[in-house]
Amino acid sequence: VTGAQIGFDDMGVGAHLVYLVDVSGSMMDADKLGLAKASLRMLTDSLRPTDTVSLVTYAGSVRLVLPPTTVARRADILAAIDDLSAEGSTAMGDGLKLAYEQAESSFVRGNINRVIVLYDGEANVGATSHEEILKSIEAQRKKGITLSTVGFGQSVYNDEMMEQLADAGDGNYQYIDSPTEAKRAFTAQLDTMIGVVARDVKIQVDFDPLRVRSYRLIGYENRDVADVDFENDAVDGGEVGPGHAATAIYDVVLKSTWPAVHGSGWVSVNLRYKPADGGPSRGFSFPLGKHHASFEAAPADMRFATAVAAMSEKLRESPYATSWRKTLIRDIADESSFAVPQ
């Protein structure tokens, strides 16, 4: 198993955000709307006076609670957040339409223009179909307005829908289930959540066929880009924020004539991206030759990521995971988690 992490630095631009909040009856619990409101207060307190915030809610009907307002009027924004209450049914489609209207009215090219959806995942889309919503989000993304989703509550929610919306909007998605996690996401990791330092990022990993018999990427099926489209700028990639890191785990089988892989060059990474402020894509390649003598000698975060991947394989009944024992996965996770930086 091999892992790779790639990160970028902060660029520091203005932010123009629209909070789109589900205030349906299913959000009534304290770990849902109550935690969402606390999160929005932390997020607002982290913004600069020149940034802008708008607040839209949806349930049985859609309401513009607050038009685009500069954070210099922080007290007005916080009062609007505090006044939110839950009632009614859920229909997301019209809420997104109104949220995008507010985002367009506060749009500043070259800045962060983003809609942030906060809900418990039980939302239906209303009269608008799911496919139509995804097309609308993609069209807004092309205009420069991105979208992130944040899920709340410990009950069942639609994680798949949450991820699809964020992917279409070139944003990210997070699940918040505690005040501690909310603080981490909306304060310590705020730049990673809403910042943009590179657009349409694509990563391609190549293995030397003389040394590697077979390989497979574990996960990421929904973000797969065909090899022929790697250099095609018309094909959408991912958006990356400051400090963001992605970990890719591969299951690799070496050829019998190569029981150990020494030196560099047997794995290479190709990276393409567009600058956050526009312009054509850029690309470069670099070798990944570092290896570890044994799994036990690998870094703790790599061993923990392996345990997570292995458990995921077990849960989806992958034929590659039949020899993995759950007790072994648990032991690897327990042992490595203590050494992973928090």
Side-chain angles (χ1 to χ4, degrees):
V1 179
T2 183
Q5 291 188 315
I6 297 172
F8 296 86
D9 294 323
D10 189 1
M11 290 182 62
V13 295
H16 308 280
L17 309 180
V18 180
Y19 304 155
L20 176 58
V21 185
D22 176 5
V23 292
S24 63
S26 64
M27 286 284 288
M28 193 173 296
D29 296 339
D31 67 338
K32 295 182 179 181
L33 185 57
L35 192 52
K37 289 166 66 174
S39 299
L40 289 180
R41 286 193 291 267
M42 286 187 281
L43 172 54
T44 302
D45 284 337
S46 299
L47 298 175
R48 292 164 292 194
T50 53
D51 296 333
T52 65
V53 166
S54 178
L55 178 58
V56 175
T57 61
Y58 67 95
S61 61
V62 175
R63 183 165 72 101
L64 174 59
V65 179
L66 190 74
T69 303
T70 63
V71 180
R73 296 171 52 192
R74 196 183 308 269
D76 293 337
I77 299 172
L78 295 178
I81 294 170
D82 288 340
D83 196 43
L84 296 178
S85 59
E87 60 182 341
S89 59
T90 309
M92 182 184 290
D94 292 338
L96 277 171
K97 180 180 179 180
L98 180 56
Y100 277 123
E101 290 175 359
Q102 302 309 304
E104 289 177 351
S105 69
S106 62
F107 182 87
V108 177
R109 188 166 300 281
N111 282 200
I112 299 166
N113 303 278
R114 180 165 302 198
V115 173
I116 301 177
V117 183
L118 300 94
Y119 73 126
D120 63 358
E122 296 182 19
N124 61 69
V125 296
T128 309
S129 72
H130 182 60
E131 290 73 21
E132 288 174 323
I133 282 186
L134 290 177
K135 289 180 180 179
S136 173
I137 292 173
E138 290 170 353
Q140 291 290 345
R141 180 198 72 216
K142 293 176 181 178
K143 295 179 182 179
I145 301 173
T146 57
L147 178 138
S148 292
T149 56
V150 186
F152 292 89
Q154 297 183 14
S155 59
V156 177
Y157 75 85
N158 192 339
D159 181 77
E160 181 179 2
M161 178 180 179
M162 185 179 182
E163 182 179 4
Q164 287 179 347
L165 296 179
D167 284 347
D170 256 4
N172 47 42
Y173 77 98
Q174 298 200 35
Y175 174 62
I176 307 295
D177 60 357
S178 68
T180 299
E181 186 61 30
K183 184 177 181 180
R184 179 183 295 114
F186 289 97
T187 56
Q189 298 177 355
L190 178 61
D191 284 347
T192 301
M193 180 178 182
I194 68 171
V196 180
V197 294
R199 302 182 187 278
D200 283 342
V201 178
K202 300 173 187 174
I203 299 174
Q204 189 178 63
V205 180
D206 290 329
F207 294 91
D208 184 351
L210 296 177
R211 305 187 183 190
V212 175
R213 181 181 303 281
S214 64
Y215 64 89
R216 67 185 182 95
L217 174 62
I218 300 177
Y220 285 100
E221 291 91 347
N222 62 336
R223 299 298 292 171
D224 184 45
V225 175
D227 290 344
V228 295
D229 291 327
F230 183 68
E231 297 185 11
N232 184 356
D233 285 358
V235 176
D236 180 50
E239 188 180 66
V240 173
H244 182 84
T247 300
I249 297 181
Y250 287 83
D251 183 5
V252 179
V253 178
L254 302 177
K255 290 189 174 180
S256 58
T257 54
W258 291 90
V261 176
H262 298 285
S264 62
W266 71 283
V267 185
S268 61
V269 174
N270 306 303
L271 173 67
R272 295 193 70 83
Y273 72 96
K274 295 176 183 176
D277 55 355
S281 65
R282 304 170 182 176
F284 59 89
S285 301
F286 56 91
L288 289 182
K290 183 178 180 180
H291 70 284
H292 305 284
S294 65
F295 181 73
E296 291 74 19
D301 55 355
M302 179 176 169
R303 286 181 276 121
F304 184 76
T306 302
V308 173
M311 191 63 195
S312 299
E313 292 272 84
K314 292 292 287 187
L315 291 174
R316 65 180 184 178
E317 299 181 342
S318 168
Y320 298 98
T322 54
S323 62
W324 278 92
R325 292 179 289 107
K326 291 181 180 179
T327 53
L328 175 61
I329 297 173
R330 181 198 60 200
D331 291 344
I332 293 172
D334 284 345
E335 181 274 330
S336 58
S337 62
F338 290 107
V340 174
Q342 300 299 313

